[in-house]
Amino acid sequence: MFTIARASAFPGLKNVQLRFRPAVWRKLRNVQSCDPSSWLGPLRKIALETYRQTNVAIARQNDEVIKSLTVGEFQSKALQLMRRREKGHKWFWDITSDTSDATLYEPTRTPPPVTIVSIRAAEIYLAEHDPKVGHRLVIQALAKFDTTQVLKITDRHGKPVESELSKPHRVVQYVVLEKIGWYDSPWKLREQIYRT
């Protein structure tokens, strides 16, 4: 968190002041906060929107969007999933749980749809001069997505295909998001992590 703050690399925040005060150090340590004023608050919104757009793109078989929002292992698995479905079938995917700001930020009995579990950054851009765009860091964040989802499938005649996924069901996924600081590109889903 300190490395990211020093590089002014938090999304949605400009020129974070690193003063040696208790409030600043609390923000540096508070990775999993659901507070909208936390330094990772904007990243949680970005993560949820990237997750939503990627899954909609998989359902609509839009490989251009998938390639723009994913990278590495996550991208290859998403493209495989998209191409494995039966011809003529159409998919309709959505998050049915409430993903409003109140759910994202206010303490409730239900878990928020996105929690940043951990975050790390390393200075990888080693050229003598600073990059023309952004910063020198590669940042990876492990996000936990806890949502209620539905996947409706229709056959080539438009008739619904019966599936357990067509009813709302809870899905918990851990996904690594990555941002390469010197590229003018969005945060991307890199890989899914499984609990053992």
Side-chain angles (χ1 to χ4, degrees):
M1 292 278 283
F2 180 78
T3 303
I4 299 167
R6 193 175 59 196
S8 293
F10 285 109
L13 300 177
K14 298 290 180 207
N15 301 324
V16 173
Q17 298 297 315
L18 286 177
R19 297 186 182 125
F20 293 101
R21 293 185 178 162
V24 171
W25 293 108
R26 274 194 298 276
K27 285 190 181 263
L28 285 173
R29 286 193 345 253
N30 205 357
V31 174
Q32 297 182 9
S33 172
C34 292
D35 187 340
S37 67
S38 88
W39 288 350
L40 293 175
L43 178 57
R44 292 176 57 222
K45 282 187 170 186
I46 290 168
L48 184 61
E49 190 55 31
T50 303
Y51 180 78
R52 178 191 297 275
Q53 288 176 2
T54 301
N55 282 297
V56 167
I58 292 169
R60 293 181 180 166
Q61 294 185 301
N62 188 338
D63 28 357
E64 186 177 317
V65 172
I66 292 170
K67 288 175 182 174
S68 72
L69 295 177
T70 62
V71 68
E73 183 184 326
F74 197 96
Q75 185 178 93
S76 59
K77 285 186 177 179
L79 291 171
Q80 278 178 352
L81 175 66
M82 188 183 75
R83 292 177 180 138
R84 255 195 343 227
R85 78 173 81 167
E86 283 192 45
K87 287 189 176 180
H89 279 195
K90 287 191 177 178
W91 290 7
F92 303 92
W93 177 91
D94 198 12
I95 294 176
T96 59
S97 55
D98 182 11
T99 56
S100 65
D101 283 352
T103 307
L104 266 175
Y105 293 125
E106 293 181 11
T108 61
R109 294 183 192 269
T110 58
V114 182
T115 305
I116 304 298
V117 177
S118 67
I119 192 163
R120 65 184 177 186
E123 192 171 303
I124 304 296
Y125 188 90
L126 300 176
E128 186 178 335
H129 300 289
D130 285 340
K132 292 179 181 177
V133 175
H135 49 80
R136 296 175 174 265
L137 302 178
V138 171
I139 305 170
Q140 292 183 338
L142 176 60
K144 175 186 174 188
F145 296 92
D146 189 347
T147 57
T148 304
Q149 302 179 10
V150 65
L151 175 66
K152 295 184 179 177
I153 303 171
T154 60
D155 63 17
R156 65 186 64 202
H157 305 294
K159 294 181 181 174
V161 175
E162 288 302 316
S163 166
E164 286 188 24
L165 299 176
S166 61
K167 297 180 180 115
H169 57 284
R170 184 178 178 206
V171 176
V172 178
Q173 285 182 297
Y174 292 84
V175 179
V176 175
L177 286 97
E178 180 177 79
K179 173 70 172 143
I180 299 175
W182 58 94
Y183 288 155
D184 188 18
S185 61
W187 283 80
K188 298 186 179 199
L189 304 179
R190 180 168 189 77
E191 66 181 302
Q192 184 171 345
I193 305 294
Y194 299 92
R195 294 187 75 166
T196 56

